Amino acid sequence: AGMNGTAIENFVCVIFNVSFMNCTWHVGSTATEDTQYFLYWRLSEKEDVTECQNYIEDNCGRHTGCRFQNMTIENKNAYFLVNGSSSEKSIHSISDYFIVEKLTPPLNVTVSCTEASHRCSIWWQPPRTTHVKKSSCFKYEIFIENK
């Protein structure tokens, strides 16, 4: 239910440093200035929903995102619902579960060079992540610069 164009647009959640997540969206194209959006989420369909505690606001004071800290989504899907209210229009709700993870650089990078053979060996550990458990899923690119 809700009027066309009132629902949020371009909803995306980005996880970074494993335990932080920002979800952002754009205000619906026909939403009025008094429209306010509310984000609810849960890790499974069996869990209770939780409302965002740290909203991001635009210049009109409308919620356009949410910041999450110290959270764990490991090996699970997160389910999101964004609904809204307005005194002028009925607001269309959006339900989604799209998450992007921004990875950290590889960990414990070690370089060992031997002058005699003009060779270097480089080792590292995969970055920390909430979902990827196989190190073979990562591809790396090394840029070597002589100074």
Side-chain angles (χ1 to χ4, degrees):
M3 297 186 73
N4 286 340
T6 59
I8 62 165
E9 299 171 356
N10 301 321
F11 178 77
V12 67
C13 294
V14 178
I15 298 171
F16 55 99
N17 289 339
V18 179
S19 61
F20 298 95
M21 181 171 69
N22 285 346
C23 295
T24 57
W25 58 83
H26 296 131
V27 171
S29 58
T30 65
T32 57
E33 262 191 44
D34 80 327
T35 299
Q36 189 58 279
Y37 296 103
F38 304 95
L39 171 69
Y40 300 89
W41 75 290
R42 61 185 173 188
L43 290 176
S44 75
E45 298 208 17
K46 296 177 182 173
E47 292 187 28
D48 292 333
V49 294
T50 302
E51 184 181 355
C52 171
Q53 298 298 306
N54 191 11
Y55 283 108
I56 301 165
E57 296 182 348
D58 68 5
N59 294 338
C60 297
R62 293 179 292 198
H63 299 158
T64 57
C66 181
R67 291 185 183 97
F68 297 93
Q69 297 180 38
N70 302 322
M71 57 176 305
T72 304
I73 298 183
E74 220 168 315
N75 294 326
K76 296 182 181 179
N77 289 321
Y79 299 90
F80 299 94
L81 169 69
V82 181
N83 61 21
S85 65
S86 167
S87 61
E88 298 178 34
K89 294 182 176 183
S90 171
I91 306 300
H92 186 67
S93 297
I94 292 290
S95 180
D96 210 338
Y97 57 93
F98 183 68
I99 298 178
V100 174
E101 185 167 11
K102 188 176 256 185
L103 299 174
T104 62
L107 304 171
N108 300 322
V109 177
T110 305
V111 178
S112 175
C113 297
T114 58
E115 201 172 316
S117 66
H118 301 289
R119 293 183 153 210
C120 291
S121 296
I122 305 171
W123 299 272
W124 61 84
Q125 294 175 332
R128 290 178 47 215
T129 175
T130 61
H131 291 84
V132 181
K133 297 302 173 205
K134 291 182 181 179
S135 60
S136 62
C137 291
F138 293 102
K139 290 188 179 192
Y140 300 95
E141 187 173 297
I142 298 173
F143 178 74
I144 299 172
E145 185 177 307
N146 290 328
K147 290 191 174 191

